[in-house]
Amino acid sequence: MFQIIGIIVVFVMVFGGFSLAGGHFDVILKAMPFEMMMIGGAAVGAFLIGNKPKTVMKTLGDFAKIFTGPKWKAQDYTDLLSLLFLLTKTMKTKGVIALESHIENPKDSAIFTRYPRIMKDHFAIDFICDTLRMMTMNLEDPHQVEDAMEKQIEKHHHEAATPAHALQSMADALPALGIVAAVLGIIKTMGAIDSPPTVLGAKIGSALVGTFLGVFLAYGLVGPFAARLNEIYEEEGAFYKIIQAVLVAHLHGNAAQISVEIGRGNVPSSFQPSFAELEEASSNAPTI
């Protein structure tokens, strides 16, 4: 919602200010289709040249996140902590062997299937299961496990954030592409140098529309879109940091309640459950 309001504010303030200052839209409206074709088309072409097909498709798929926000909501964080509570409690009471059937086939697990939204995130499930699998192979050094998990998180974040970097590259290129369109407009104007001043003025104005559009699109729209998308990826990445915190805390010998409480501290503040809410969710978690 705020992103839509922001877009409206940008357009109203820029073009409203131009109108109030006595500007006329006829030159802009006449030149805009051709300038947008040159600038927008070149930007899209450069975007296709500079990115893998996977990145292009992911950018198109993730663009809606700019308006809808991160996929993880408050209940998802509570569910994750409850899931990790069940896993660490089972490891404490029954040993890692009791989890083998769950981590080898989480789709049929009585633990994992209680949390369908988390199950849809393949990285989260693989991240949990792979780490637990390492524990079953006697890798119990907390520092080694933490380092291995950190590298997996960094790799995932780098791959997930490519659309934000791609959009930022487009934003960086747009002012220069606006100058290209403006230069072409000047070349066109120079071809009619013997025209009356009123005609030359209109042609120069049309050429400058290219520079305006390049800068406006870069700093008013595409750049903020990239920044918002990167912010969303950072917030979504906190979900996996919680997994790391809880499992490493477990390896340090903490009780399940303490481990998930440590994880609760990594939940973004706006979604963080209270101690009482987490305790209630943990007490309602079934035993296996």
Side-chain angles (χ1 to χ4, degrees):
M1 177 60 73
F2 280 103
Q3 285 67 43
I4 296 174
I5 294 173
I7 292 172
I8 293 172
V9 169
V10 167
F11 275 90
V12 169
M13 292 298 104
V14 171
F15 292 104
F18 174 75
S19 178
L20 292 173
H24 300 287
F25 286 97
D26 53 337
V27 175
I28 295 178
L29 293 175
K30 185 178 179 180
M32 188 171 291
F34 308 105
E35 300 294 332
M36 280 298 298
M37 179 179 176
M38 288 185 282
I39 299 169
V44 171
F47 177 77
L48 295 175
I49 292 170
N51 295 284
K52 298 183 294 185
K54 184 178 179 179
T55 300
V56 173
M57 298 306 298
K58 191 174 189 306
T59 304
L60 296 175
D62 286 0
F63 195 81
K65 288 185 177 184
I66 295 170
F67 304 96
T68 60
K71 65 179 178 180
W72 302 119
K73 309 305 178 185
Q75 185 60 47
D76 297 319
Y77 288 98
T78 302
D79 287 347
L80 176 64
L81 292 169
S82 299
L83 168 62
L84 294 172
F85 172 78
L86 280 173
L87 294 171
T88 53
K89 183 180 179 181
T90 302
M91 283 190 286
K92 277 290 183 184
T93 58
K94 300 182 179 180
V96 292
I97 303 301
L99 288 177
E100 281 192 355
S101 62
H102 298 282
I103 62 179
E104 293 301 331
N105 195 8
K107 292 181 180 180
D108 296 328
S109 166
I111 296 178
F112 286 100
T113 53
R114 286 182 55 84
Y115 308 101
R117 274 184 54 80
I118 298 175
M119 281 291 297
K120 292 179 181 179
D121 189 307
H122 299 296
F123 176 75
I125 297 300
D126 290 343
F127 191 43
I128 294 171
C129 292
D130 290 347
T131 304
L132 294 176
R133 194 175 291 110
M134 285 193 293
M135 294 181 189
T136 65
M137 294 186 290
N138 296 322
L139 180 59
E140 297 180 348
D141 183 340
H143 302 292
Q144 281 186 289
V145 172
E146 183 176 19
D147 183 60
M149 297 180 80
E150 186 66 34
K151 289 178 179 178
Q152 289 185 62
I153 291 173
E154 288 179 2
K155 175 187 174 184
H156 179 265
H157 179 74
H158 175 75
E159 293 174 350
T162 50
H165 300 317
L167 280 179
Q168 186 58 55
S169 296
M170 179 186 285
D172 294 339
L174 278 168
L177 293 175
I179 293 174
V180 170
V183 170
L184 291 174
I186 295 298
I187 292 172
K188 177 184 174 183
T189 301
M190 295 304 293
I193 194 67
D194 56 346
S195 300
T198 53
V199 175
L200 287 176
K203 290 183 178 294
I204 293 172
S206 296
L208 293 177
V209 169
T211 302
F212 159 72
L213 282 177
V215 175
F216 175 74
L217 292 172
Y219 297 107
L221 295 176
V222 181
F225 286 163
R228 174 58 180 158
L229 202 52
N230 190 63
E231 182 182 57
I232 289 170
Y233 292 139
E234 291 287 345
E235 189 170 310
E236 290 182 346
F239 198 79
Y240 311 115
K241 286 285 188 179
I242 296 167
I243 299 171
Q244 179 189 31
V246 172
L247 295 183
V248 170
H250 167 78
L251 283 177
H252 278 289
N254 293 293
Q257 291 87 347
I258 299 300
S259 297
V260 295
E261 180 59 25
I262 291 173
R264 188 178 73 89
N266 287 271
V267 177
S269 299
S270 56
F271 298 126
Q272 189 178 55
S274 66
F275 178 84
E277 289 171 337
L278 178 57
E279 188 174 32
E280 181 181 359
S282 300
S283 63
N284 291 334
T287 57
I288 61 169

